[in-house]
Amino acid sequence: MSDFSQELKPADPQGPSILAQERAGSDVNIDQLAHHLLHRGDFLKRQKKILSVLEKRPYFCKKNQLNLARPDRYHLGLARAKELRRLSLQHGWDIDDYKMADYLTDEMAPYALQTVMFATSIREQCNDEQRAYWLPKVENWEVIGCYGQTELGHGSNVKGIECEARWNPKSKDFTIHSPTLTASKWWNGALGRTANHAIVVAQLMLPDQKTGKYKSHGPHQFIVQIRDMKTNKPLEGIVIGDIGPKYGYTAMDNGYMLFKNLRVPHSALLSRYSGVDSESGMYIKPKNQALVYGSLTYVRAQIIMHARLVLARACTVSLRYTSIRRQFADRDAKGSAPEQAVLNYPTVQIRLLPLLATTYALHYTGEAMFKLYWQTRADIEKNGDDSGLAEMHAASSGLKSLCTILAADGIETCRRAMGGHGFGGGSGMIPLNNDYLSKPTVEGDNWMITQQTASYLIKRMQTATKDQYPSNTESIDGQFRLFLQNKQSSKTYDIYNNESDIVTAFQHRVSFLSYQAYEARIEKKQPWTSLMISLHRLSRAFSESLLVTNFHRAIFESTPDPPLDKATHNIMKTLFRLFALSTIDFQSTEFILSGALAPSQLRDLTPTIQQLMAEIRPHAIRLVDAWSIPDYLLESALGRHDGDVYNALWRKAHLENPLNLQTFNPDWKTEEIIMGEGEETARQRIEALALGVEGHEQRGDLWRAKL
Amino acid sequence: MSDFSQELKPADPQGPSILAQERAGSDVNIDQLAHHLLHRGDFLKRQKKILSVLEKRPYFCKKNQLNLARPDRYHLGLARAKELRRLSLQHGWDIDDYKMADYLTDEMAPYALQTVMFATSIREQCNDEQRAYWLPKVENWEVIGCYGQTELGHGSNVKGIECEARWNPKSKDFTIHSPTLTASKWWNGALGRTANHAIVVAQLMLPDQKTGKYKSHGPHQFIVQIRDMKTNKPLEGIVIGDIGPKYGYTAMDNGYMLFKNLRVPHSALLSRYSGVDSESGMYIKPKNQALVYGSLTYVRAQIIMHARLVLARACTVSLRYTSIRRQFADRDAKGSAPEQAVLNYPTVQIRLLPLLATTYALHYTGEAMFKLYWQTRADIEKNGDDSGLAEMHAASSGLKSLCTILAADGIETCRRAMGGHGFGGGSGMIPLNNDYLSKPTVEGDNWMITQQTASYLIKRMQTATKDQYPSNTESIDGQFRLFLQNKQSSKTYDIYNNESDIVTAFQHRVSFLSYQAYEARIEKKQPWTSLMISLHRLSRAFSESLLVTNFHRAIFESTPDPPLDKATHNIMKTLFRLFALSTIDFQSTEFILSGALAPSQLRDLTPTIQQLMAEIRPHAIRLVDAWSIPDYLLESALGRHDGDVYNALWRKAHLENPLNLQTFNPDWKTEEIIMGEGEETARQRIEALALGVEGHEQRGDLWRAKL
């Protein structure tokens, strides 16, 4: 067949000329804004440096990923993980370089736990002796580690895990044991096929000094060798495997693990803060539990910063594509009018532009959380002042929940806004969506952890009711006291003409809902469970208020840092308004019921939002360009920086699709599938595909012996 | 390694005993309710019959699907499609049996277009002669067909497609040609690798009788042989291929196709309603365009009925699992209390139980739409009365948009409510989500088609303003006239104590929004584009009103048909209230602004919803059981009918995961991946995985010659 497709080009206007025009029509200073957003840790320079290495390596080519079977994705993931380690040494990468490589590779791979949960546990939970022994092995990657906390039966409720570590007073060691099937470790990354060592979280069981009866002192961390260092087979007394395919994380071997009376030495218990006295068998209580919360907050600040980049990626793809894609002429146009860019339709704008504004909102709160974390940590380490910890923890819980929801739902909104091509592999949205959908659940389920935020706010409100004098109104206490003093006032806020009124309206809503929760729980003593829905909403209100407050502070209350041109600064102000008003639109009932807004004020909401979107529309492309997401990371025909969408889709389909290498037999009367392979070959091949492991077994492959 | 896992069982209480208790605690009559919901076309009997055939066939085993590479999924899909055809003949299945097999197989497979779009076009668009020639070939599956309408550059705007069919007056035939790359057919199912014939939609270009200049008469359907019947290679002048991996539809070969001056005979143009006079070259105009809309409505009624089953499936999995899954004890419990079923938490109920109510709401509207379709069709065929067509079309557009959004978002809500295990392959939610996410886009993009609904409502309101006498208040005209007469009244509706007030509140909101849209468009002559957001919201309001009205009619205004016990009937009433009040909660601004509700009425919304959920909670399992989704279709460890969740998850991971057949080399210093394969083998293998087709090319496989 003659391939005449190379003679053809897409119908005019061409994507690249459209994007060039879009960029020419805006005065947003991309480089300056990019620096403003990404100056931390030399992000842009680092991205360029690492990109130039990865793009040349065949292992890091992403274009065939969606064609691969899940087991092959693990093979490739392990190969990439190893190569990243080798490249680190070869190029002298520091930890931030390594993280950048991980970000650009965009894959949760089998070494992902080594530098994070595994090394962090060793570093933070080991006593000095343990640290001296393990840390060099971990940092030189002589052992490959994982973190085994979650079990088949317990995730959120860590205290409920069933795996036990019993202290044997005579032999002065522990027995790690899984009493049930639900005690099996489950989900733990790198455990399934890779790691030879694990941090195992188990109930520390010590015999009562008098009765000898065992009692749990709660979950504790143990370091355990789980596989043979030569053969990589599980050690005797351990059953391990990979849990199988998941929604995302295709390259990661999330694992399961059962123990049958496995003996580990006294030194296996990580003993920096607590421990077991090997002579007396007595429990040594932890000294400072609070620091644990500190590092959780750090992880959550990272989650917010990650959420902004993930959402920026979805916005980059969808805004570039919808500004190129044309469909339908203006319905009111007379005569034959050209088709409109779909981004010109308000029904597309209302889905994408508030999300674009959200990327910026997330940014300023992520920045604020990082600053708060470092400051709180410094306060604790310098003078033991941990007063900031509770608020930081409460804020981080609510924000983790809200920000990951905004990003997760935002990705899908962006994908759908791209219509049919958004459903195709060329969108680049498939792995993004599939992987990110884990985030609302991991690191604290989004519906569960909001209770911590609400619980904190109820406590603060209770304090505020006892002391009516306003303190610093910037603090939550000050806000609450002000609210209590003015509870009878019917003042509403001028959200259309006054930005600080917007901030106050959000804060008023938080105070109102906190007071309701306080009344229900403290005064009326209502059951906690019955309040959960209100508590979740309170946490969301508080977190939205933080996003709005931090955005306002960064853009209206001080000179942007690093600085922005006036034109760019002005667009940031418009983005603030769009973010805040869209949020009000979505949550209007609470603004009405709290009295922050009069019902009649809602009438102007949609027209005002539409006006703000019209102002932002010409700058949309530059505003996503500033996020500096490289094409390599986007891996998207629709979202390419050059806008050459249709040629890229065509190449992907016509030149890079392995299914097109084979010719098939479409005739239902024969079982032959690939033309010419014959019926018997086809039948055996297809049955093996359908039956999988069972097919192996039927053919006598004694796979269980290989485990 | 000794595998001691078979000695273990999950911690108590066991899933099966939990589900048995759940079922014992409700008096919902499952069999009766199942018959009530699924009596049409003997659904339950048919399901049982077909299931017994499929479950025994190795090709239809689903458990390895998530492990397969995308090309292999196509191989398996084609093999299954062929087998379904053979089984149809062997067992004498009728078309409904075949559709049931398709539903249970739960896969969009390469023959999916044969009985639907391909056969329908032949049946409905061919003239008698064409039909006599083609229909037997299609019905005997001598040709395998697809439907080529959508192009790379145009989907929603069918009038904008670029593929051309030019009439050649001398040779009295057509030349089909793709003038640009964006004119390439794209997305067309079964085109990529399978079909040998296609319905090709192309601009019908006829020369002007005077000037000879070609002019388009709009898109028309042509039947074209595209591949050789022996070799299945594309014919000369055609470039075809599969477009590559997508979000879902893994087994389907959605294709692309370009034409280079392909000659097809005069008879290729399907000419039932329009055509070209082969002597004069004159266009023969279509007689009755309306019938096209009729069959679109039928497709959309099917979409609603499908949406209810899809959502029921997600509810089945999530409600069974969350009633089994235990996590945390009641926070207010004294002493050591047992962990709670997560479904007992209102924060889980608020996500799942309104969706359970939605499955029933969708059902009654699906039923109503089918009845309306058959009645309207009968009216047209009997006496040419097509007056019902416009309303039916408007309703079907809005409902398609709303119902597919409710189901698509609902699936993901169900998945997330299951926490970590919801992200795992054992949830059964991965293919469900991935495939269903196409629905908000296909058969009319959900944001675009709502304009048709709004446009209709504006027209009706315009009519109503001219004629103030109320007619039948059941009709939209009657509602509008009543609204106009009482526009000044400040009556609100008692949604907590009076179910028909709920219905009226929904209808009032529609009238209010319709009047606003009418004012903006007709009186103030505002640009259509500027109104799009409001129009979309109007369509949603109208569609929600239909769901509420039809649900109310079926449960409150008449005896349920087929009949229901009093206990079951009562629960349906509670489900109605929950559906309606949850919908109001989500859209409260519009109810306030329209004056249907006073702001103060919103205060009781959440407590009332929580109360309704508490009433439904004990019946949740029986209410999903009634949907009769077989385990084979669920393909879910979490959603199994017997509740044996943890053993099933374990088996899936430990015994059915092919990745566990291999042992890997975790040492980063070597490139070896599978233990013992050696570095060089591994490197070549991994590069081929990463590079895909490019890897084939580098190794000298001249794959393009094979195309």
Side-chain angles (χ1 to χ4, degrees), chain A residues 13 18 72 85 87 136 232 240 256 260 281 377 398 412 414 456 458 473 503 547 562 589 628 632 691:
Chain A
I18 294 171
D72 284 339
R85 169 66 187 155
L87 289 171
N232 211 37
I240 321 184
Y256 59 82
K260 184 171 183 178
R377 200 174 167 112
E412 177 60 11
C414 288
Y456 172 78
I458 292 173
T473 54
V503 175
L547 289 180
T589 308
S628 312
Y632 174 73
L691 297 175

Short mmCIF file of all heavy atoms in Angstrom, two decimals, chain A residues 13 18 72 85 87 136 232 240 256 260 281 377 398 412 414 456 458 473 503 547 562 589 628 632 691:
data_model
loop_
_atom_site.label_atom_id
_atom_site.label_comp_id
_atom_site.label_asym_id
_atom_site.label_seq_id
_atom_site.Cartn_x
_atom_site.Cartn_y
_atom_site.Cartn_z
N PRO A 13 -6.49 26.94 10.37
CA PRO A 13 -5.16 27.41 10.75
C PRO A 13 -4.35 26.33 11.46
O PRO A 13 -4.91 25.50 12.17
CB PRO A 13 -5.47 28.57 11.70
CG PRO A 13 -6.80 28.24 12.28
CD PRO A 13 -7.56 27.48 11.23
N ILE A 18 -1.41 29.25 15.60
CA ILE A 18 -2.41 29.68 16.59
C ILE A 18 -1.73 29.99 17.93
O ILE A 18 -1.97 31.04 18.51
CB ILE A 18 -3.47 28.57 16.79
CG1 ILE A 18 -4.30 28.39 15.52
CG2 ILE A 18 -4.38 28.93 17.98
CD1 ILE A 18 -5.22 27.18 15.55
N ASP A 72 5.43 -6.06 32.29
CA ASP A 72 6.51 -5.39 31.57
C ASP A 72 6.74 -3.97 32.08
O ASP A 72 7.86 -3.46 32.04
CB ASP A 72 6.21 -5.36 30.06
CG ASP A 72 6.44 -6.72 29.41
OD1 ASP A 72 7.19 -7.54 29.99
OD2 ASP A 72 5.88 -6.96 28.33
N ARG A 85 19.75 5.53 39.56
CA ARG A 85 20.76 5.43 40.61
C ARG A 85 22.17 5.55 39.99
O ARG A 85 23.02 6.29 40.48
CB ARG A 85 20.59 4.11 41.35
CG ARG A 85 21.70 3.71 42.28
CD ARG A 85 21.85 4.65 43.47
NE ARG A 85 23.04 4.31 44.24
CZ ARG A 85 23.70 5.16 45.02
NH1 ARG A 85 23.28 6.41 45.13
NH2 ARG A 85 24.76 4.78 45.69
N LEU A 87 22.94 6.94 37.09
CA LEU A 87 23.11 8.30 36.57
C LEU A 87 23.44 9.28 37.70
O LEU A 87 24.24 10.21 37.51
CB LEU A 87 21.85 8.75 35.83
CG LEU A 87 21.58 8.08 34.48
CD1 LEU A 87 20.18 8.47 33.96
CD2 LEU A 87 22.63 8.45 33.45
N PRO A 136 24.69 3.92 56.54
CA PRO A 136 25.59 3.77 55.38
C PRO A 136 25.09 2.74 54.37
O PRO A 136 25.18 2.96 53.16
CB PRO A 136 26.91 3.30 56.02
CG PRO A 136 26.81 3.70 57.46
CD PRO A 136 25.35 3.64 57.81
N ASN A 232 17.47 -13.30 46.12
CA ASN A 232 16.30 -12.42 46.24
C ASN A 232 14.99 -13.19 46.47
O ASN A 232 13.90 -12.68 46.22
CB ASN A 232 16.15 -11.47 45.04
CG ASN A 232 15.52 -10.15 45.46
OD1 ASN A 232 15.80 -9.65 46.55
ND2 ASN A 232 14.66 -9.59 44.63
N ILE A 240 5.78 -13.50 50.47
CA ILE A 240 5.71 -12.16 49.87
C ILE A 240 5.25 -12.25 48.43
O ILE A 240 5.51 -13.24 47.75
CB ILE A 240 7.09 -11.45 49.81
CG1 ILE A 240 7.93 -11.71 51.05
CG2 ILE A 240 6.91 -9.95 49.61
CD1 ILE A 240 9.24 -10.94 51.05
N TYR A 256 2.48 -7.63 49.28
CA TYR A 256 1.87 -8.20 50.49
C TYR A 256 2.94 -9.03 51.20
O TYR A 256 3.91 -9.46 50.58
CB TYR A 256 0.64 -9.06 50.15
CG TYR A 256 0.91 -10.23 49.22
CD1 TYR A 256 1.42 -11.43 49.69
CD2 TYR A 256 0.64 -10.12 47.85
CE1 TYR A 256 1.66 -12.50 48.83
CE2 TYR A 256 0.87 -11.19 46.99
CZ TYR A 256 1.37 -12.38 47.49
OH TYR A 256 1.62 -13.44 46.65
N LYS A 260 5.46 -15.95 59.60
CA LYS A 260 5.13 -17.07 60.49
C LYS A 260 6.26 -17.20 61.51
O LYS A 260 7.33 -17.73 61.19
CB LYS A 260 4.97 -18.36 59.69
CG LYS A 260 4.53 -19.52 60.56
CD LYS A 260 4.16 -20.73 59.72
CE LYS A 260 3.66 -21.84 60.64
NZ LYS A 260 3.24 -23.01 59.85
N GLY A 281 12.93 -6.25 80.02
CA GLY A 281 11.77 -6.46 79.16
C GLY A 281 10.72 -5.38 79.35
O GLY A 281 9.59 -5.52 78.91
N ARG A 377 9.49 24.32 63.06
CA ARG A 377 10.56 23.37 63.37
C ARG A 377 11.71 24.08 64.08
O ARG A 377 12.28 23.56 65.04
CB ARG A 377 11.03 22.72 62.06
CG ARG A 377 11.76 21.43 62.31
CD ARG A 377 12.11 20.70 61.02
NE ARG A 377 13.07 19.64 61.37
CZ ARG A 377 12.80 18.35 61.31
NH1 ARG A 377 11.64 17.93 60.89
NH2 ARG A 377 13.71 17.45 61.66
N GLY A 398 -6.43 19.58 56.69
CA GLY A 398 -7.50 20.11 55.85
C GLY A 398 -7.01 20.42 54.45
O GLY A 398 -7.70 20.14 53.46
N GLU A 412 -9.49 15.52 35.77
CA GLU A 412 -10.57 14.90 35.02
C GLU A 412 -11.43 15.96 34.32
O GLU A 412 -11.89 15.75 33.20
CB GLU A 412 -11.39 14.01 35.95
CG GLU A 412 -12.61 13.34 35.35
CD GLU A 412 -12.34 12.41 34.19
OE1 GLU A 412 -11.17 12.08 33.92
OE2 GLU A 412 -13.30 12.04 33.50
N CYS A 414 -10.31 18.79 33.18
CA CYS A 414 -9.50 19.18 32.02
C CYS A 414 -9.61 18.14 30.91
O CYS A 414 -9.73 18.48 29.74
CB CYS A 414 -8.03 19.33 32.43
SG CYS A 414 -7.70 20.78 33.44
N TYR A 456 -9.66 20.65 65.92
CA TYR A 456 -8.82 21.78 66.33
C TYR A 456 -9.64 23.08 66.36
O TYR A 456 -9.56 23.86 67.31
CB TYR A 456 -7.64 21.92 65.37
CG TYR A 456 -6.83 23.18 65.59
CD1 TYR A 456 -5.92 23.27 66.65
CD2 TYR A 456 -6.99 24.29 64.76
CE1 TYR A 456 -5.20 24.43 66.87
CE2 TYR A 456 -6.26 25.45 64.97
CZ TYR A 456 -5.37 25.52 66.03
OH TYR A 456 -4.65 26.66 66.24
N ILE A 458 -12.85 23.47 66.71
CA ILE A 458 -13.81 23.46 67.83
C ILE A 458 -13.10 23.87 69.13
O ILE A 458 -13.61 24.67 69.91
CB ILE A 458 -14.46 22.07 67.97
CG1 ILE A 458 -15.38 21.79 66.77
CG2 ILE A 458 -15.25 21.96 69.27
CD1 ILE A 458 -15.95 20.39 66.72
N THR A 473 -5.90 39.77 64.97
CA THR A 473 -6.99 39.29 64.10
C THR A 473 -6.48 38.44 62.93
O THR A 473 -7.26 37.89 62.18
CB THR A 473 -7.82 40.45 63.51
OG1 THR A 473 -6.92 41.34 62.87
CG2 THR A 473 -8.60 41.16 64.59
N VAL A 503 -11.76 38.08 51.48
CA VAL A 503 -11.03 37.31 52.49
C VAL A 503 -11.86 37.22 53.77
O VAL A 503 -12.02 36.14 54.36
CB VAL A 503 -9.66 37.95 52.77
CG1 VAL A 503 -8.94 37.22 53.90
CG2 VAL A 503 -8.81 37.94 51.50
N LEU A 547 -6.52 29.13 51.49
CA LEU A 547 -6.09 29.35 50.10
C LEU A 547 -6.34 30.80 49.70
O LEU A 547 -5.49 31.45 49.08
CB LEU A 547 -6.84 28.41 49.14
CG LEU A 547 -6.48 26.92 49.18
CD1 LEU A 547 -7.33 26.14 48.17
CD2 LEU A 547 -5.01 26.69 48.90
N PRO A 562 9.49 36.50 44.38
CA PRO A 562 10.20 37.48 43.55
C PRO A 562 9.23 38.40 42.79
O PRO A 562 8.10 37.98 42.52
CB PRO A 562 11.00 36.62 42.57
CG PRO A 562 11.05 35.26 43.18
CD PRO A 562 9.87 35.12 44.05
N THR A 589 -24.31 28.17 49.49
CA THR A 589 -25.22 28.00 50.63
C THR A 589 -24.57 28.42 51.94
O THR A 589 -25.18 29.12 52.75
CB THR A 589 -25.65 26.52 50.76
OG1 THR A 589 -26.13 26.08 49.52
CG2 THR A 589 -26.73 26.37 51.82
N SER A 628 6.12 26.09 33.06
CA SER A 628 7.35 25.48 32.52
C SER A 628 7.34 23.96 32.54
O SER A 628 8.33 23.33 32.90
CB SER A 628 8.58 25.97 33.31
OG SER A 628 8.54 27.37 33.47
N TYR A 632 8.56 16.71 27.48
CA TYR A 632 8.90 15.35 27.90
C TYR A 632 8.01 14.88 29.04
O TYR A 632 7.58 13.73 29.09
CB TYR A 632 10.37 15.27 28.31
CG TYR A 632 10.77 13.93 28.89
CD1 TYR A 632 10.91 12.81 28.07
CD2 TYR A 632 10.98 13.77 30.26
CE1 TYR A 632 11.25 11.58 28.59
CE2 TYR A 632 11.33 12.54 30.80
CZ TYR A 632 11.46 11.45 29.96
OH TYR A 632 11.80 10.22 30.48
N LEU A 691 -6.58 -16.83 30.52
CA LEU A 691 -6.49 -17.53 31.80
C LEU A 691 -5.31 -17.09 32.65
O LEU A 691 -5.29 -17.30 33.87
CB LEU A 691 -6.43 -19.05 31.58
CG LEU A 691 -7.66 -19.66 30.91
CD1 LEU A 691 -7.43 -21.14 30.63
CD2 LEU A 691 -8.91 -19.48 31.78
#
